[in-house]
Amino acid sequence: MTVTTTVAELRALLASDTPPALLDVRWALGDPHGRAHYVEGHIPGAVYVDLDTELASAPSPEGGRHPLPAIEDLQEAARGWGLRQGRQVVLYDDLGNTAAARAWWLLRYAGLGEVTLLDGALGAWRAAGLPLESGLPADPPRGDVVLRAGALPVVDADGAAGLTVSGLLLDARAGERYRGEVEPVDPRAGHIPGAVSAPTGENLAADGTFLPAEELRKRFEERGAGTAERIGVYCGSGVTAAHQIAALEIAGFEAALFPGSWSAWSADPVRPVAKGSRP
């Protein structure tokens, strides 16, 4: 399936007789003001999506900081965004799609096929000199989309641990968090023993677009993806790991998400922790 939509393609779609639903998923770790940023300026017609409340259920030590929402709750939110059966969905944020990918993954996980990320995110729209609108628009007409969980693979903590033995487990966090040099938010510093570092930021070119498929494939093959029977990905709380899964799909690989990620693993005192640059 297609993972990205270019700015030119989005402009054409928005001008067509069947425009897509356009979702703005403005979020960043340590920045709780996504809605305010959206109000300041967003792509005309975009609907704001709140990652903390609509793309996750309540945090817990077992589930991590961003557990997957119940499918009934996600469906209710999606209908509020105006999603309708058969309508294409395009998503973006203002951070290279590292947050928007969470919504991309969830909607794909829930069975929707025509879901793409705006390549280059909001920065690409701005770079093209295209207009933004401000303010909080009226709610869109309510949608009728029907969601069903399970269309993409997931693993739990035991499954993630198993992948370090019989597959490949990628850690999508920044290198300094993988190595255990810093830990700004989770209970312990370090990484899952046996996991391989593959920071999400390295999926992107300087302009915030995804690297070409062949470059992404080489990047993941160098980390063992070419020979692994199964691939899993985790990050801090299952957000940027979704971006890694998108990059892996562009490269031709399927990967499972560990939703609890490091926030759940590190909160469990019986789970071992590794530090340093080696798996």
Side-chain angles (χ1 to χ4, degrees):
M1 292 182 181
T2 302
V3 175
T4 61
T5 294
T6 67
V7 167
E9 289 168 341
L10 177 59
R11 290 186 69 191
L13 287 168
L14 291 173
S16 73
D17 293 335
T18 55
L22 184 60
L23 304 182
D24 183 311
V25 194
R26 215 79 64 91
W27 180 89
L29 185 64
D31 181 358
H33 307 297
R35 185 180 295 274
H37 299 317
Y38 165 85
V39 169
E40 289 170 6
H42 54 268
I43 298 175
V47 176
Y48 177 70
V49 174
D50 189 293
L51 187 146
D52 286 322
T53 62
E54 296 181 300
L55 303 180
S57 60
S60 69
E62 299 78 20
R65 285 184 280 112
H66 290 108
L68 299 186
I71 197 66
E72 299 82 5
D73 294 337
L74 181 62
Q75 178 176 281
E76 179 65 19
R79 290 180 175 181
W81 308 330
L83 302 198
R84 303 190 65 81
Q85 288 295 108
R87 187 183 185 190
Q88 184 175 352
V89 182
V90 180
L91 307 112
Y92 71 90
D93 58 27
D94 200 14
L95 201 63
N97 286 319
T98 52
R102 168 73 172 210
W104 169 86
W105 185 92
L106 273 172
L107 292 175
R108 290 278 305 278
Y109 168 78
L112 299 190
E114 292 296 311
V115 183
T116 58
L117 296 164
L118 177 62
D119 203 13
L122 187 59
W125 184 269
R126 289 197 194 98
L130 297 170
L132 300 177
E133 67 179 13
S134 59
L136 193 62
D139 291 338
R142 187 169 175 80
D144 62 1
V145 71
V146 176
L147 303 182
R148 297 180 179 86
L152 292 180
V154 297
V155 293
D156 59 11
D158 288 339
L163 284 171
T164 66
V165 177
S166 60
L168 174 66
L169 182 64
L170 296 175
D171 184 317
R173 298 173 300 157
E176 59 268 24
R177 289 185 71 190
Y178 172 86
R179 294 188 295 271
E181 296 165 2
V182 298
E183 182 43 66
V185 62
D186 290 321
R188 291 185 286 168
H191 61 267
I192 297 175
V196 176
S197 179
T200 296
E202 295 177 12
N203 296 328
L204 300 174
D207 64 357
T209 60
F210 280 98
L211 293 172
E214 60 272 15
E215 291 186 34
L216 287 172
R217 187 167 188 88
K218 181 174 184 293
R219 161 172 154 75
F220 293 123
E221 283 179 342
E222 289 174 349
R223 288 163 171 79
T227 56
E229 289 189 9
R230 295 184 65 221
I231 302 170
V233 185
Y234 75 95
C235 58
S237 64
V239 174
T240 59
H243 190 276
Q244 190 92 291
I245 290 173
L248 281 156
E249 184 166 319
I250 292 170
F253 299 108
E254 180 183 75
L257 176 70
F258 172 24
S261 284
W262 185 248
S263 58
W265 183 282
S266 62
D268 186 343
V270 307
R271 298 287 178 184
V273 169
K275 292 186 177 182
S277 58
R278 293 179 176 273

